[in-house]
Amino acid sequence: MAVDYAVIVVYLAGMLAMGWWGMRRAKSKSEFLVAGRRLGPWMYSGTMAAIVLGGASTIGGVGLGYQYGLSGAWMVFTIGLGLLALSVFFSARIARLKVYTVSEMLDLRYGGRAGLISGVVMWAYTLMLAVTSTIAYATIFDVLFDLNRTLSIILGGAIVVAYSTLGGMWSITLTDMVQFVVKTIGVLLLLLPIAVIKAGGFSEMKAQLPTEYFDPLGIGGETIFTYVLIYTFGMLIGQDIWQRVFTARSDRTARWGGTVAGTYCLVYAVAGAVIGTAAKVMYPKLPSADAAFATIVKDELPVGVRGLVLAAALAAVMSTSSGALIACATVANNDIWSRLRGAVGAGDGEERDEVKGNRVFILIMGIAVIAIAIALNNVVEALTVAYNLLVGGLLVPILGGLLWRRGTAAGALAAVSVGGIAVIGLMATYGILANEPVYYGLLSSLTVYVIVSLATKPTDAAVLVAWRARLAGRDADGAEAADPVAAQPLPSGAGQA
């Protein structure tokens, strides 16, 4: 395993080095939180694909393939569909808003009264997303170094917290690009063909497994619908995803770069399901479906290649973990703490001072994430709670604000409150993993949003004028909105990225 260890150590050292490089670039709030809003299509596509394809998509996707066959691709496939929908229909408008958080968008749309409560819901979502990603280090480092669970979480979490705290979004962007390349080589170009060959090819796989393993709908229609509701719609409104949209240097980059990333996700989904199906042929009686990825990597891959594929799994976890961490810290600082202390928006001259504050919040949130990850055992339940709260509480007011002019601040607040409370109550009644909480929570949120919006005074005309101007990339007087970072020099190579 010495060669495999060397590959992993070099990879981890590279992540820390990029964190140090990013620290030298992140000199303003815009640079630290959204990479100066100047990523080109290549870098934008790679980092967007990296953040949405985490440990659940890699290890979990292979596990679903092991359990259900090709239809196990649906979870990751719906993530790709959500990213495609976001990129094609909403990303250009989102990028033109020039905000930092989803709650800031709600304030712009509804007149500054929806941000705090939506910020709390979004913070809870991003916190749990970061926790579930951090827990996944235990599986990978156990295979690599035979470390116990707590040490694995501390080691993986500390590296992510270190490079995220140092350089913010610039560090995360650079590391995500490396992680994207490593995942592509490790999973798509190496593990996929090796797994199929080791299983005897597709003809042998079909001969060894039941026919339902090759039924595209074998996982069940209700499960697919739930995946669409949670993951496809979740991609449309998550702070971790929007914060990447904010990094695009133009509308075109956000739209086409995101479309490329979404298409990549669809390919990745099928690849994971095929790898899991092949593992079922080779290891028909594993104790857990989620053990399929680690087992096939450990037993079937040659030295060196094994280290690279495990690095790919580590890359998948780190990309999602770092993206969720900076999103959690951004929301905690900008949407919750700043509002509670009565802070007003800082001007350009104060942005440099805000870098330190955001860096402190990443460090604090990172320590909290590691502590919760050590204490928490059930990853699936934690992730389900996060997405149920996100979709049940925030989907309606966010999409309603983008699509329905008559929506009001009172309607948005009612939708967030009722949807969130309904989801929590229904999870307590039906169980965390039940489908009913998100179904009925979303329905109740939509109902109160429409009723309260129609029953209350329409949003002030001046607010809507300013909102439409920002969506069009202009200020309220019709002039093109100034971009505070446009005149700054690009980092070397960023323009070509």
Side-chain angles (χ1 to χ4, degrees), residues 12-47:
L12 294 177
M15 297 299 99
L16 292 174
M18 289 185 182
W20 181 261
W21 186 93
M23 182 179 68
R24 299 170 57 197
R25 296 293 180 183
K27 301 298 185 182
S28 69
K29 178 181 178 180
S30 177
E31 295 282 355
F32 191 82
L33 294 181
V34 290
R37 306 187 195 277
R38 43 182 157 171
L39 296 190
W42 165 241
M43 188 170 285
Y44 179 87
S45 297
T47 57

PDB file of all heavy atoms in Angstrom, residues 12-47:
ATOM      1  N   LEU A  12      -3.402  15.265  -0.584  1.00  0.00           N
ATOM      2  CA  LEU A  12      -3.789  16.078   0.565  1.00  0.00           C
ATOM      3  C   LEU A  12      -2.866  17.285   0.735  1.00  0.00           C
ATOM      4  O   LEU A  12      -3.319  18.388   1.057  1.00  0.00           O
ATOM      5  CB  LEU A  12      -3.777  15.224   1.837  1.00  0.00           C
ATOM      6  CG  LEU A  12      -4.824  14.101   1.898  1.00  0.00           C
ATOM      7  CD1 LEU A  12      -4.646  13.284   3.180  1.00  0.00           C
ATOM      8  CD2 LEU A  12      -6.237  14.655   1.819  1.00  0.00           C
ATOM      9  N   ALA A  13      -1.572  17.078   0.496  1.00  0.00           N
ATOM     10  CA  ALA A  13      -0.628  18.195   0.581  1.00  0.00           C
ATOM     11  C   ALA A  13      -0.940  19.247  -0.479  1.00  0.00           C
ATOM     12  O   ALA A  13      -0.841  20.457  -0.231  1.00  0.00           O
ATOM     13  CB  ALA A  13       0.805  17.681   0.413  1.00  0.00           C
ATOM     14  N   GLY A  14      -1.344  18.786  -1.671  1.00  0.00           N
ATOM     15  CA  GLY A  14      -1.721  19.718  -2.729  1.00  0.00           C
ATOM     16  C   GLY A  14      -2.930  20.552  -2.355  1.00  0.00           C
ATOM     17  O   GLY A  14      -3.012  21.748  -2.684  1.00  0.00           O
ATOM     18  N   MET A  15      -3.895  19.957  -1.660  1.00  0.00           N
ATOM     19  CA  MET A  15      -5.073  20.706  -1.216  1.00  0.00           C
ATOM     20  C   MET A  15      -4.680  21.846  -0.277  1.00  0.00           C
ATOM     21  O   MET A  15      -5.159  22.974  -0.399  1.00  0.00           O
ATOM     22  CB  MET A  15      -6.059  19.776  -0.503  1.00  0.00           C
ATOM     23  CG  MET A  15      -6.644  18.657  -1.353  1.00  0.00           C
ATOM     24  SD  MET A  15      -7.593  19.218  -2.796  1.00  0.00           S
ATOM     25  CE  MET A  15      -6.357  19.037  -4.103  1.00  0.00           C
ATOM     26  N   LEU A  16      -3.789  21.551   0.661  1.00  0.00           N
ATOM     27  CA  LEU A  16      -3.346  22.579   1.595  1.00  0.00           C
ATOM     28  C   LEU A  16      -2.538  23.670   0.889  1.00  0.00           C
ATOM     29  O   LEU A  16      -2.656  24.854   1.206  1.00  0.00           O
ATOM     30  CB  LEU A  16      -2.507  21.942   2.708  1.00  0.00           C
ATOM     31  CG  LEU A  16      -3.281  21.022   3.673  1.00  0.00           C
ATOM     32  CD1 LEU A  16      -2.318  20.335   4.634  1.00  0.00           C
ATOM     33  CD2 LEU A  16      -4.329  21.817   4.438  1.00  0.00           C
ATOM     34  N   ALA A  17      -1.718  23.281  -0.084  1.00  0.00           N
ATOM     35  CA  ALA A  17      -0.933  24.267  -0.831  1.00  0.00           C
ATOM     36  C   ALA A  17      -1.841  25.226  -1.595  1.00  0.00           C
ATOM     37  O   ALA A  17      -1.578  26.429  -1.666  1.00  0.00           O
ATOM     38  CB  ALA A  17       0.017  23.554  -1.795  1.00  0.00           C
ATOM     39  N   MET A  18      -2.925  24.699  -2.158  1.00  0.00           N
ATOM     40  CA  MET A  18      -3.857  25.561  -2.885  1.00  0.00           C
ATOM     41  C   MET A  18      -4.619  26.480  -1.931  1.00  0.00           C
ATOM     42  O   MET A  18      -5.001  27.594  -2.307  1.00  0.00           O
ATOM     43  CB  MET A  18      -4.820  24.715  -3.707  1.00  0.00           C
ATOM     44  CG  MET A  18      -4.129  24.056  -4.882  1.00  0.00           C
ATOM     45  SD  MET A  18      -5.232  23.161  -5.963  1.00  0.00           S
ATOM     46  CE  MET A  18      -4.026  22.508  -7.128  1.00  0.00           C
ATOM     47  N   GLY A  19      -4.841  26.013  -0.708  1.00  0.00           N
ATOM     48  CA  GLY A  19      -5.434  26.894   0.290  1.00  0.00           C
ATOM     49  C   GLY A  19      -4.533  28.078   0.578  1.00  0.00           C
ATOM     50  O   GLY A  19      -4.996  29.217   0.695  1.00  0.00           O
ATOM     51  N   TRP A  20      -3.240  27.829   0.675  1.00  0.00           N
ATOM     52  CA  TRP A  20      -2.275  28.910   0.904  1.00  0.00           C
ATOM     53  C   TRP A  20      -2.233  29.867  -0.287  1.00  0.00           C
ATOM     54  O   TRP A  20      -2.187  31.082  -0.119  1.00  0.00           O
ATOM     55  CB  TRP A  20      -0.892  28.318   1.160  1.00  0.00           C
ATOM     56  CG  TRP A  20       0.165  29.343   1.434  1.00  0.00           C
ATOM     57  CD1 TRP A  20       1.086  29.849   0.562  1.00  0.00           C
ATOM     58  CD2 TRP A  20       0.396  30.014   2.672  1.00  0.00           C
ATOM     59  NE1 TRP A  20       1.876  30.776   1.170  1.00  0.00           N
ATOM     60  CE2 TRP A  20       1.480  30.905   2.472  1.00  0.00           C
ATOM     61  CE3 TRP A  20      -0.201  29.941   3.935  1.00  0.00           C
ATOM     62  CZ2 TRP A  20       1.958  31.719   3.488  1.00  0.00           C
ATOM     63  CZ3 TRP A  20       0.285  30.755   4.949  1.00  0.00           C
ATOM     64  CH2 TRP A  20       1.358  31.626   4.716  1.00  0.00           C
ATOM     65  N   TRP A  21      -2.283  29.317  -1.513  1.00  0.00           N
ATOM     66  CA  TRP A  21      -2.289  30.171  -2.705  1.00  0.00           C
ATOM     67  C   TRP A  21      -3.545  31.032  -2.732  1.00  0.00           C
ATOM     68  O   TRP A  21      -3.501  32.225  -3.034  1.00  0.00           O
ATOM     69  CB  TRP A  21      -2.228  29.306  -3.965  1.00  0.00           C
ATOM     70  CG  TRP A  21      -2.086  30.098  -5.236  1.00  0.00           C
ATOM     71  CD1 TRP A  21      -0.929  30.435  -5.873  1.00  0.00           C
ATOM     72  CD2 TRP A  21      -3.144  30.640  -6.047  1.00  0.00           C
ATOM     73  NE1 TRP A  21      -1.194  31.152  -7.015  1.00  0.00           N
ATOM     74  CE2 TRP A  21      -2.550  31.300  -7.144  1.00  0.00           C
ATOM     75  CE3 TRP A  21      -4.528  30.645  -5.944  1.00  0.00           C
ATOM     76  CZ2 TRP A  21      -3.289  31.941  -8.123  1.00  0.00           C
ATOM     77  CZ3 TRP A  21      -5.274  31.287  -6.922  1.00  0.00           C
ATOM     78  CH2 TRP A  21      -4.658  31.924  -7.995  1.00  0.00           C
ATOM     79  N   GLY A  22      -4.689  30.424  -2.404  1.00  0.00           N
ATOM     80  CA  GLY A  22      -5.942  31.166  -2.413  1.00  0.00           C
ATOM     81  C   GLY A  22      -5.952  32.296  -1.402  1.00  0.00           C
ATOM     82  O   GLY A  22      -6.561  33.336  -1.624  1.00  0.00           O
ATOM     83  N   MET A  23      -5.277  32.121  -0.275  1.00  0.00           N
ATOM     84  CA  MET A  23      -5.218  33.160   0.744  1.00  0.00           C
ATOM     85  C   MET A  23      -4.587  34.426   0.200  1.00  0.00           C
ATOM     86  O   MET A  23      -4.977  35.544   0.560  1.00  0.00           O
ATOM     87  CB  MET A  23      -4.434  32.649   1.962  1.00  0.00           C
ATOM     88  CG  MET A  23      -4.352  33.652   3.106  1.00  0.00           C
ATOM     89  SD  MET A  23      -3.451  33.019   4.539  1.00  0.00           S
ATOM     90  CE  MET A  23      -1.794  32.921   3.868  1.00  0.00           C
ATOM     91  N   ARG A  24      -3.627  34.290  -0.697  1.00  0.00           N
ATOM     92  CA  ARG A  24      -2.966  35.449  -1.281  1.00  0.00           C
ATOM     93  C   ARG A  24      -3.860  36.184  -2.265  1.00  0.00           C
ATOM     94  O   ARG A  24      -3.637  37.355  -2.560  1.00  0.00           O
ATOM     95  CB  ARG A  24      -1.677  35.000  -1.983  1.00  0.00           C
ATOM     96  CG  ARG A  24      -0.666  34.336  -1.044  1.00  0.00           C
ATOM     97  CD  ARG A  24       0.471  33.709  -1.834  1.00  0.00           C
ATOM     98  NE  ARG A  24       1.135  34.690  -2.678  1.00  0.00           N
ATOM     99  CZ  ARG A  24       1.940  34.385  -3.706  1.00  0.00           C
ATOM    100  NH1 ARG A  24       2.148  33.105  -4.012  1.00  0.00           N
ATOM    101  NH2 ARG A  24       2.506  35.324  -4.408  1.00  0.00           N
ATOM    102  N   ARG A  25      -4.882  35.494  -2.799  1.00  0.00           N
ATOM    103  CA  ARG A  25      -5.772  36.102  -3.790  1.00  0.00           C
ATOM    104  C   ARG A  25      -7.010  36.718  -3.159  1.00  0.00           C
ATOM    105  O   ARG A  25      -7.575  37.663  -3.696  1.00  0.00           O
ATOM    106  CB  ARG A  25      -6.209  35.037  -4.811  1.00  0.00           C
ATOM    107  CG  ARG A  25      -5.070  34.461  -5.637  1.00  0.00           C
ATOM    108  CD  ARG A  25      -4.489  35.503  -6.553  1.00  0.00           C
ATOM    109  NE  ARG A  25      -3.407  34.956  -7.353  1.00  0.00           N
ATOM    110  CZ  ARG A  25      -2.676  35.673  -8.201  1.00  0.00           C
ATOM    111  NH1 ARG A  25      -2.913  36.959  -8.344  1.00  0.00           N
ATOM    112  NH2 ARG A  25      -1.694  35.122  -8.892  1.00  0.00           N
ATOM    113  N   ALA A  26      -7.468  36.160  -2.048  1.00  0.00           N
ATOM    114  CA  ALA A  26      -8.742  36.578  -1.451  1.00  0.00           C
ATOM    115  C   ALA A  26      -8.522  37.805  -0.578  1.00  0.00           C
ATOM    116  O   ALA A  26      -8.356  37.711   0.632  1.00  0.00           O
ATOM    117  CB  ALA A  26      -9.332  35.436  -0.643  1.00  0.00           C
ATOM    118  N   LYS A  27      -8.545  38.984  -1.197  1.00  0.00           N
ATOM    119  CA  LYS A  27      -8.266  40.220  -0.483  1.00  0.00           C
ATOM    120  C   LYS A  27      -9.514  41.057  -0.219  1.00  0.00           C
ATOM    121  O   LYS A  27      -9.436  42.107   0.407  1.00  0.00           O
ATOM    122  CB  LYS A  27      -7.248  41.067  -1.282  1.00  0.00           C
ATOM    123  CG  LYS A  27      -5.917  40.366  -1.536  1.00  0.00           C
ATOM    124  CD  LYS A  27      -5.196  40.032  -0.239  1.00  0.00           C
ATOM    125  CE  LYS A  27      -3.814  39.440  -0.512  1.00  0.00           C
ATOM    126  NZ  LYS A  27      -3.119  39.061   0.743  1.00  0.00           N
ATOM    127  N   SER A  28     -10.672  40.647  -0.716  1.00  0.00           N
ATOM    128  CA  SER A  28     -11.909  41.392  -0.494  1.00  0.00           C
ATOM    129  C   SER A  28     -13.027  40.405  -0.214  1.00  0.00           C
ATOM    130  O   SER A  28     -12.885  39.194  -0.424  1.00  0.00           O
ATOM    131  CB  SER A  28     -12.259  42.245  -1.720  1.00  0.00           C
ATOM    132  OG  SER A  28     -12.640  41.415  -2.800  1.00  0.00           O
ATOM    133  N   LYS A  29     -14.154  40.927   0.246  1.00  0.00           N
ATOM    134  CA  LYS A  29     -15.314  40.077   0.518  1.00  0.00           C
ATOM    135  C   LYS A  29     -15.742  39.331  -0.744  1.00  0.00           C
ATOM    136  O   LYS A  29     -16.042  38.134  -0.706  1.00  0.00           O
ATOM    137  CB  LYS A  29     -16.469  40.923   1.053  1.00  0.00           C
ATOM    138  CG  LYS A  29     -17.737  40.140   1.325  1.00  0.00           C
ATOM    139  CD  LYS A  29     -18.837  41.065   1.828  1.00  0.00           C
ATOM    140  CE  LYS A  29     -20.134  40.291   2.058  1.00  0.00           C
ATOM    141  NZ  LYS A  29     -21.224  41.177   2.542  1.00  0.00           N
ATOM    142  N   SER A  30     -15.774  40.031  -1.869  1.00  0.00           N
ATOM    143  CA  SER A  30     -16.177  39.408  -3.123  1.00  0.00           C
ATOM    144  C   SER A  30     -15.213  38.295  -3.529  1.00  0.00           C
ATOM    145  O   SER A  30     -15.632  37.215  -3.948  1.00  0.00           O
ATOM    146  CB  SER A  30     -16.262  40.463  -4.236  1.00  0.00           C
ATOM    147  OG  SER A  30     -16.588  39.870  -5.463  1.00  0.00           O
ATOM    148  N   GLU A  31     -13.917  38.541  -3.400  1.00  0.00           N
ATOM    149  CA  GLU A  31     -12.929  37.525  -3.742  1.00  0.00           C
ATOM    150  C   GLU A  31     -13.042  36.324  -2.807  1.00  0.00           C
ATOM    151  O   GLU A  31     -12.935  35.173  -3.235  1.00  0.00           O
ATOM    152  CB  GLU A  31     -11.510  38.112  -3.645  1.00  0.00           C
ATOM    153  CG  GLU A  31     -11.201  39.210  -4.654  1.00  0.00           C
ATOM    154  CD  GLU A  31     -10.908  38.657  -6.023  1.00  0.00           C
ATOM    155  OE1 GLU A  31     -10.854  37.425  -6.188  1.00  0.00           O
ATOM    156  OE2 GLU A  31     -10.731  39.467  -6.951  1.00  0.00           O
ATOM    157  N   PHE A  32     -13.269  36.583  -1.522  1.00  0.00           N
ATOM    158  CA  PHE A  32     -13.281  35.511  -0.539  1.00  0.00           C
ATOM    159  C   PHE A  32     -14.532  34.649  -0.648  1.00  0.00           C
ATOM    160  O   PHE A  32     -14.463  33.423  -0.535  1.00  0.00           O
ATOM    161  CB  PHE A  32     -13.192  36.103   0.870  1.00  0.00           C
ATOM    162  CG  PHE A  32     -12.944  35.076   1.941  1.00  0.00           C
ATOM    163  CD1 PHE A  32     -11.662  34.606   2.194  1.00  0.00           C
ATOM    164  CD2 PHE A  32     -13.989  34.565   2.697  1.00  0.00           C
ATOM    165  CE1 PHE A  32     -11.427  33.657   3.178  1.00  0.00           C
ATOM    166  CE2 PHE A  32     -13.769  33.615   3.679  1.00  0.00           C
ATOM    167  CZ  PHE A  32     -12.477  33.169   3.922  1.00  0.00           C
ATOM    168  N   LEU A  33     -15.697  35.255  -0.885  1.00  0.00           N
ATOM    169  CA  LEU A  33     -16.953  34.512  -0.864  1.00  0.00           C
ATOM    170  C   LEU A  33     -17.393  33.997  -2.226  1.00  0.00           C
ATOM    171  O   LEU A  33     -18.040  32.942  -2.302  1.00  0.00           O
ATOM    172  CB  LEU A  33     -18.074  35.386  -0.269  1.00  0.00           C
ATOM    173  CG  LEU A  33     -17.925  35.753   1.211  1.00  0.00           C
ATOM    174  CD1 LEU A  33     -19.123  36.588   1.655  1.00  0.00           C
ATOM    175  CD2 LEU A  33     -17.791  34.515   2.087  1.00  0.00           C
ATOM    176  N   VAL A  34     -17.075  34.716  -3.316  1.00  0.00           N
ATOM    177  CA  VAL A  34     -17.562  34.295  -4.634  1.00  0.00           C
ATOM    178  C   VAL A  34     -16.476  34.390  -5.710  1.00  0.00           C
ATOM    179  O   VAL A  34     -16.766  34.550  -6.896  1.00  0.00           O
ATOM    180  CB  VAL A  34     -18.807  35.116  -5.069  1.00  0.00           C
ATOM    181  CG1 VAL A  34     -20.005  34.759  -4.215  1.00  0.00           C
ATOM    182  CG2 VAL A  34     -18.541  36.626  -5.002  1.00  0.00           C
ATOM    183  N   ALA A  35     -15.202  34.290  -5.308  1.00  0.00           N
ATOM    184  CA  ALA A  35     -14.065  34.295  -6.236  1.00  0.00           C
ATOM    185  C   ALA A  35     -14.092  35.487  -7.183  1.00  0.00           C
ATOM    186  O   ALA A  35     -13.726  35.389  -8.354  1.00  0.00           O
ATOM    187  CB  ALA A  35     -14.027  32.990  -7.037  1.00  0.00           C
ATOM    188  N   GLY A  36     -14.526  36.643  -6.655  1.00  0.00           N
ATOM    189  CA  GLY A  36     -14.529  37.861  -7.462  1.00  0.00           C
ATOM    190  C   GLY A  36     -15.544  37.868  -8.584  1.00  0.00           C
ATOM    191  O   GLY A  36     -15.530  38.752  -9.425  1.00  0.00           O
ATOM    192  N   ARG A  37     -16.444  36.908  -8.643  1.00  0.00           N
ATOM    193  CA  ARG A  37     -17.452  36.775  -9.708  1.00  0.00           C
ATOM    194  C   ARG A  37     -16.785  36.777 -11.085  1.00  0.00           C
ATOM    195  O   ARG A  37     -17.253  37.436 -12.005  1.00  0.00           O
ATOM    196  CB  ARG A  37     -18.484  37.916  -9.643  1.00  0.00           C
ATOM    197  CG  ARG A  37     -19.163  38.086  -8.294  1.00  0.00           C
ATOM    198  CD  ARG A  37     -20.283  39.106  -8.374  1.00  0.00           C
ATOM    199  NE  ARG A  37     -20.717  39.550  -7.070  1.00  0.00           N
ATOM    200  CZ  ARG A  37     -21.600  38.909  -6.286  1.00  0.00           C
ATOM    201  NH1 ARG A  37     -22.126  37.786  -6.699  1.00  0.00           N
ATOM    202  NH2 ARG A  37     -21.932  39.410  -5.107  1.00  0.00           N
ATOM    203  N   ARG A  38     -15.732  36.004 -11.264  1.00  0.00           N
ATOM    204  CA  ARG A  38     -15.023  36.053 -12.543  1.00  0.00           C
ATOM    205  C   ARG A  38     -14.522  34.701 -13.042  1.00  0.00           C
ATOM    206  O   ARG A  38     -13.531  34.611 -13.764  1.00  0.00           O
ATOM    207  CB  ARG A  38     -13.868  37.035 -12.464  1.00  0.00           C
ATOM    208  CG  ARG A  38     -13.039  36.983 -11.192  1.00  0.00           C
ATOM    209  CD  ARG A  38     -11.964  38.049 -11.263  1.00  0.00           C
ATOM    210  NE  ARG A  38     -11.507  38.420  -9.938  1.00  0.00           N
ATOM    211  CZ  ARG A  38     -10.465  39.199  -9.720  1.00  0.00           C
ATOM    212  NH1 ARG A  38      -9.773  39.645 -10.729  1.00  0.00           N
ATOM    213  NH2 ARG A  38     -10.119  39.533  -8.506  1.00  0.00           N
ATOM    214  N   LEU A  39     -15.192  33.629 -12.704  1.00  0.00           N
ATOM    215  CA  LEU A  39     -14.802  32.334 -13.239  1.00  0.00           C
ATOM    216  C   LEU A  39     -15.289  32.182 -14.676  1.00  0.00           C
ATOM    217  O   LEU A  39     -16.429  32.496 -14.998  1.00  0.00           O
ATOM    218  CB  LEU A  39     -15.374  31.199 -12.390  1.00  0.00           C
ATOM    219  CG  LEU A  39     -14.901  31.093 -10.941  1.00  0.00           C
ATOM    220  CD1 LEU A  39     -15.382  29.772 -10.340  1.00  0.00           C
ATOM    221  CD2 LEU A  39     -13.394  31.218 -10.823  1.00  0.00           C
ATOM    222  N   GLY A  40     -14.396  31.675 -15.526  1.00  0.00           N
ATOM    223  CA  GLY A  40     -14.767  31.383 -16.902  1.00  0.00           C
ATOM    224  C   GLY A  40     -15.445  30.029 -17.020  1.00  0.00           C
ATOM    225  O   GLY A  40     -15.567  29.290 -16.040  1.00  0.00           O
ATOM    226  N   PRO A  41     -15.885  29.653 -18.226  1.00  0.00           N
ATOM    227  CA  PRO A  41     -16.708  28.443 -18.397  1.00  0.00           C
ATOM    228  C   PRO A  41     -16.021  27.151 -17.986  1.00  0.00           C
ATOM    229  O   PRO A  41     -16.658  26.273 -17.411  1.00  0.00           O
ATOM    230  CB  PRO A  41     -17.050  28.457 -19.896  1.00  0.00           C
ATOM    231  CG  PRO A  41     -16.065  29.397 -20.531  1.00  0.00           C
ATOM    232  CD  PRO A  41     -15.737  30.404 -19.483  1.00  0.00           C
ATOM    233  N   TRP A  42     -14.734  27.000 -18.280  1.00  0.00           N
ATOM    234  CA  TRP A  42     -14.057  25.746 -17.954  1.00  0.00           C
ATOM    235  C   TRP A  42     -13.969  25.550 -16.445  1.00  0.00           C
ATOM    236  O   TRP A  42     -14.361  24.515 -15.911  1.00  0.00           O
ATOM    237  CB  TRP A  42     -12.672  25.729 -18.589  1.00  0.00           C
ATOM    238  CG  TRP A  42     -11.739  24.674 -18.058  1.00  0.00           C
ATOM    239  CD1 TRP A  42     -10.547  24.877 -17.433  1.00  0.00           C
ATOM    240  CD2 TRP A  42     -11.917  23.250 -18.083  1.00  0.00           C
ATOM    241  NE1 TRP A  42      -9.971  23.687 -17.071  1.00  0.00           N
ATOM    242  CE2 TRP A  42     -10.797  22.657 -17.461  1.00  0.00           C
ATOM    243  CE3 TRP A  42     -12.920  22.415 -18.570  1.00  0.00           C
ATOM    244  CZ2 TRP A  42     -10.645  21.287 -17.314  1.00  0.00           C
ATOM    245  CZ3 TRP A  42     -12.771  21.036 -18.413  1.00  0.00           C
ATOM    246  CH2 TRP A  42     -11.655  20.492 -17.804  1.00  0.00           C
ATOM    247  N   MET A  43     -13.483  26.563 -15.734  1.00  0.00           N
ATOM    248  CA  MET A  43     -13.355  26.441 -14.291  1.00  0.00           C
ATOM    249  C   MET A  43     -14.725  26.380 -13.625  1.00  0.00           C
ATOM    250  O   MET A  43     -14.938  25.620 -12.669  1.00  0.00           O
ATOM    251  CB  MET A  43     -12.529  27.605 -13.741  1.00  0.00           C
ATOM    252  CG  MET A  43     -12.174  27.460 -12.265  1.00  0.00           C
ATOM    253  SD  MET A  43     -10.971  28.697 -11.690  1.00  0.00           S
ATOM    254  CE  MET A  43      -9.466  28.038 -12.417  1.00  0.00           C
ATOM    255  N   TYR A  44     -15.679  27.153 -14.119  1.00  0.00           N
ATOM    256  CA  TYR A  44     -17.030  27.140 -13.551  1.00  0.00           C
ATOM    257  C   TYR A  44     -17.670  25.763 -13.687  1.00  0.00           C
ATOM    258  O   TYR A  44     -18.254  25.235 -12.729  1.00  0.00           O
ATOM    259  CB  TYR A  44     -17.888  28.199 -14.249  1.00  0.00           C
ATOM    260  CG  TYR A  44     -19.318  28.261 -13.762  1.00  0.00           C
ATOM    261  CD1 TYR A  44     -19.668  29.040 -12.664  1.00  0.00           C
ATOM    262  CD2 TYR A  44     -20.318  27.538 -14.409  1.00  0.00           C
ATOM    263  CE1 TYR A  44     -20.983  29.099 -12.218  1.00  0.00           C
ATOM    264  CE2 TYR A  44     -21.632  27.590 -13.968  1.00  0.00           C
ATOM    265  CZ  TYR A  44     -21.962  28.367 -12.882  1.00  0.00           C
ATOM    266  OH  TYR A  44     -23.263  28.415 -12.451  1.00  0.00           O
ATOM    267  N   SER A  45     -17.554  25.148 -14.851  1.00  0.00           N
ATOM    268  CA  SER A  45     -18.148  23.823 -15.075  1.00  0.00           C
ATOM    269  C   SER A  45     -17.540  22.791 -14.145  1.00  0.00           C
ATOM    270  O   SER A  45     -18.249  21.977 -13.531  1.00  0.00           O
ATOM    271  CB  SER A  45     -17.950  23.382 -16.525  1.00  0.00           C
ATOM    272  OG  SER A  45     -18.600  24.246 -17.422  1.00  0.00           O
ATOM    273  N   GLY A  46     -16.218  22.796 -14.031  1.00  0.00           N
ATOM    274  CA  GLY A  46     -15.544  21.811 -13.201  1.00  0.00           C
ATOM    275  C   GLY A  46     -15.896  21.951 -11.733  1.00  0.00           C
ATOM    276  O   GLY A  46     -16.177  20.952 -11.051  1.00  0.00           O
ATOM    277  N   THR A  47     -15.909  23.191 -11.233  1.00  0.00           N
ATOM    278  CA  THR A  47     -16.203  23.375  -9.815  1.00  0.00           C
ATOM    279  C   THR A  47     -17.670  23.094  -9.510  1.00  0.00           C
ATOM    280  O   THR A  47     -17.996  22.566  -8.436  1.00  0.00           O
ATOM    281  CB  THR A  47     -15.843  24.800  -9.363  1.00  0.00           C
ATOM    282  OG1 THR A  47     -16.554  25.753 -10.166  1.00  0.00           O
ATOM    283  CG2 THR A  47     -14.357  25.043  -9.511  1.00  0.00           C
TER     284      THR A  47
END
